[in-house]
């Protein structure tokens, strides 16, 4: 890692994402930070996704398209292909906030293990919303923070590759929580930058399978923190769900 100019591997995974992929790619290839590697893993799309990929092929460091076992299997493949000092997942439909974002992140960071920031949620019509949970401020983020669910959007965290484990494929939906917990258990230093890192497209697989996500989240937090803390947190979340009228 050279000074404060580390190499960043940005990984996009997609499947039949013709409608959304181009905006993601454009947000990445427009970055002014020079030390980037872009990796794209497609799950064997049958729509026009490959045409979009080939349109931008000269900007993509590595890509391949083949059937996989789902989102997290594809993300594992992307990590294996990555050669950067840091990893950042930016999936189809998500966008880096602006062309200067990566440059600003590494200008304001100092080799921390885990760097995170703010996110803007958007729906398919471009309507914007704030992240639905309080983001832990500087010095307050730990692995245990994720007993409360995804307190940080996965697309607003940048992690040293050397500290990033592969995803455990036994989890189908809440795998991002398990992965975040395991990452934070490895990290000694974290940095919160109070700037927007990205736009996050709502409506993914977990949003369409809310109760399975809740079940997996319970088993994940039980594995990491014990039965009683997991039960207590589930009751707390259930109360919040009833109050809000939704699981978001």
């Amino acid at each position: 890692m050279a000074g404060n100019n580390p190499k960043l591997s940005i990984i996009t995974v997609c499947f039949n994402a013709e409608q959304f992929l181009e905006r993601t790619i454009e947000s990445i290839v427009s970055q002014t930070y020079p030390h980037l590697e872009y990796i794209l893993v497609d799950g064997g799309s049958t729509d026009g996704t490959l045409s979009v990929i080939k349109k931008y092929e000269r900007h993509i460091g590595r890509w391949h398209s083949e059937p996989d076992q789902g989102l997290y299997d594809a993300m594992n493949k992307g990590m294996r292909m990555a050669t950067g000092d840091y990893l950042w997942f930016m999936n189809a439909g998500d966008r880096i906030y602006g062309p200067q974002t990566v440059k600003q992140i590494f200008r304001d960071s100092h080799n921390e293990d885990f760097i995170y920031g703010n996110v803007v949620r958007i729906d398919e019509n471009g309507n914007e919303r704030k992240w639905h949970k309080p983001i832990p401020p500087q010095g307050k983020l730990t692995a245990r923070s994720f007993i409360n669910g995804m307190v940080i959007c996965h697309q607003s965290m940048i992690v040293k590759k050397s500290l990033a484990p592969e995803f455990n494929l036994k989890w189908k939906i809440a795998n991002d929580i398990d992965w975040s917990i395991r990452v934070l258990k490895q990290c000694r230093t974290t940095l919160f930058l109070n700037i927007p890192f990205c736009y996050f497209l709502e409506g993914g697989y977990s949003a369409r399978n809310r109760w399975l996500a809740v079940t997996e989240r319970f088993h994940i937090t039980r594995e990491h923190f014990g039965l009683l803390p997991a039960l207590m947190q589930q009751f707390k979340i259930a109360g919040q769900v009833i109050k809000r009228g939704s699981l978001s």
Side-chain angles (χ1 to χ4, degrees), residues 117-219:
N118 296 319
V119 61
V120 179
R121 292 196 294 172
I122 55 172
D123 62 23
E124 293 183 2
N125 297 316
N127 299 310
E128 298 184 3
R129 290 200 293 167
K130 294 182 179 179
W131 190 240
H132 61 296
K133 292 179 181 290
I135 297 175
Q138 178 60 31
K140 298 297 184 181
L141 179 69
T142 67
R144 197 174 181 87
S145 300
F146 288 90
I147 198 171
N148 298 309
M150 284 304 290
V151 292
I152 306 169
C153 177
H154 201 166
Q155 283 79 348
S156 66
M157 56 178 77
I158 296 175
V159 182
K160 280 187 178 176
K161 183 179 185 293
S162 61
L163 300 173
E166 291 197 358
F167 290 87
N168 186 336
L169 298 186
K170 77 175 181 178
W171 308 119
K172 304 303 180 185
I173 296 181
N175 215 327
D176 48 357
I177 295 177
D178 177 68
W179 188 83
S180 300
I181 291 170
R182 290 190 290 130
V183 167
L184 263 298
K185 285 183 175 181
Q186 300 294 321
C187 293
R188 299 183 62 184
T189 56
T190 63
L191 175 67
F192 172 61
L193 296 177
N194 193 21
I195 60 171
F197 278 25
C198 65
Y199 294 96
F200 166 68
L201 180 64
E202 296 179 318
Y205 184 66
S206 61
R208 299 190 299 271
N209 296 270
R210 298 284 192 183
W211 287 112
L212 180 56
V214 168
T215 300
E216 285 196 358
R217 182 168 59 196
F218 168 72
H219 290 297

Side-chain angles (χ1 to χ4, degrees), residues 80-130:
R80 293 179 202 131
M81 295 165 67
T83 62
D85 302 300
Y86 285 89
L87 301 175
W88 193 8
F89 290 101
M90 193 62 49
N91 293 334
D94 305 323
R95 290 177 286 146
I96 299 177
Y97 189 76
Q100 299 288 332
T101 298
V102 175
K103 186 175 182 179
Q104 183 176 0
I105 289 169
F106 287 119
R107 182 196 67 197
D108 296 339
S109 62
H110 303 281
N111 197 35
E112 288 84 5
D113 295 337
F114 188 102
I115 306 166
Y116 65 106
N118 296 319
V119 61
V120 179
R121 292 196 294 172
I122 55 172
D123 62 23
E124 293 183 2
N125 297 316
N127 299 310
E128 298 184 3
R129 290 200 293 167
K130 294 182 179 179

Side-chain angles (χ1 to χ4, degrees), residues 16-36:
N16 286 347
E18 177 185 11
Q19 181 181 358
F20 304 110
L21 181 59
E22 188 163 18
R23 69 185 70 170
T24 302
I25 295 175
E26 287 182 344
S27 79
I28 293 166
V29 302
S30 67
Q31 292 301 304
T32 59
Y33 185 76
H35 309 291
L36 289 182

Side-chain angles (χ1 to χ4, degrees), residues 211 214 217 233-248:
W211 287 112
V214 168
R217 182 168 59 196
Q233 188 57 29
Q234 289 303 309
F235 283 126
K236 179 180 177 181
I237 292 172
Q240 293 170 347
V241 168
I242 293 170
K243 184 177 180 179
R244 281 198 308 265
S246 73
L247 281 169
S248 61

